[in-house]
Amino acid sequence: MIRKDRKMEDIGEILATLQVCDSLHVAFSDGEYPYVLPFSYGVDYEDGHFVFYIHTDQKGKKIDLIEKNPHVSIEADIVYDYYQVGGKYISCSYASVLGKGTIETIEKDEYEHAMDLIVLHYGYEGFGYDKELIKTFTIYKITLDSYSGRCHYKIDEQSF
């Protein structure tokens, strides 16, 4: 990382960033090029690791790729604002998190916990989702082994 002043190291700040991002981009290993897909997600911090829960159909290319190689990379970001700086250039306030980890299916008895985190993430805490319908999904847990976060917030224009 070139700009050390933009590095996020505080677990709480990283978790807060992950809680406001709209989607989680997951990169699966697919030969020469990665296969990247956006997901709705729930996030938690468990036993010293960031953990994400995503749900998907029970068939498809991503399922085949996961079976071949459970190692994934993730990215989540949010842009808060674009603004001019001293009439010289345009910048933006943002935060982002990158990570590497492993993906695995979870047991059906863990689905409610995962879905609770997903609906909480999107502001629907306590929403009465169809518990029979979620049994038709596959829910995955991504546990990060490594991660990094970056942020940049609006600079006071008067300093220019």
Side-chain angles (χ1 to χ4, degrees):
M1 178 181 298
I2 296 170
R3 298 287 309 261
K4 302 272 187 221
D5 61 318
R6 296 185 179 177
K7 185 175 184 179
M8 278 192 293
E9 296 183 284
D10 179 73
I11 300 298
E13 184 178 13
I14 293 170
L15 189 57
T17 296
L18 291 168
Q19 290 170 336
V20 297
C21 293
D22 292 326
S23 59
L24 182 73
H25 297 90
V26 180
F28 304 90
S29 182
D30 187 24
E32 186 176 355
Y33 298 99
Y35 183 65
V36 181
L37 294 172
F39 289 93
S40 299
Y41 68 99
V43 62
D44 206 356
Y45 190 75
E46 302 170 1
D47 301 322
H49 296 277
F50 286 101
V51 175
F52 300 88
Y53 295 94
I54 60 173
H55 62 82
T56 184
D57 292 330
Q58 295 180 348
K59 296 179 185 176
K61 181 173 183 171
K62 64 190 155 296
I63 308 299
D64 298 336
L65 294 174
I66 291 167
E67 289 174 2
K68 290 179 187 175
N69 184 348
H71 296 97
V72 296
S73 294
I74 63 94
E75 187 275 344
D77 63 79
I78 185 166
V79 174
Y80 297 107
D81 186 27
Y82 290 94
Y83 58 94
Q84 290 185 20
V85 179
K88 297 177 185 177
Y89 59 90
I90 298 170
S91 187
C92 68
S93 297
Y94 72 89
S96 64
V97 177
L98 302 173
K100 296 177 185 176
T102 54
I103 187 169
E104 62 185 318
T105 56
I106 63 171
E107 299 297 323
K108 299 276 187 203
D109 64 348
E110 299 175 81
Y111 274 27
E112 283 191 43
H113 171 70
M115 286 302 297
D116 287 344
L117 287 172
I118 292 169
V119 297
L120 172 66
H121 178 83
Y122 295 100
Y124 289 93
E125 183 175 12
F127 183 75
Y129 51 84
D130 185 339
K131 293 181 181 175
E132 290 304 310
L133 178 62
I134 67 169
K135 292 178 183 176
T136 66
F137 301 160
T138 299
I139 298 183
Y140 288 97
K141 177 180 181 178
I142 299 171
T143 305
L144 296 188
D145 299 318
S146 64
Y147 61 88
S148 63
R150 288 181 56 129
C151 62
H152 174 64
Y153 301 111
K154 190 172 185 176
I155 300 168
D156 179 10
E157 285 192 44
Q158 293 184 16
S159 63
F160 284 90

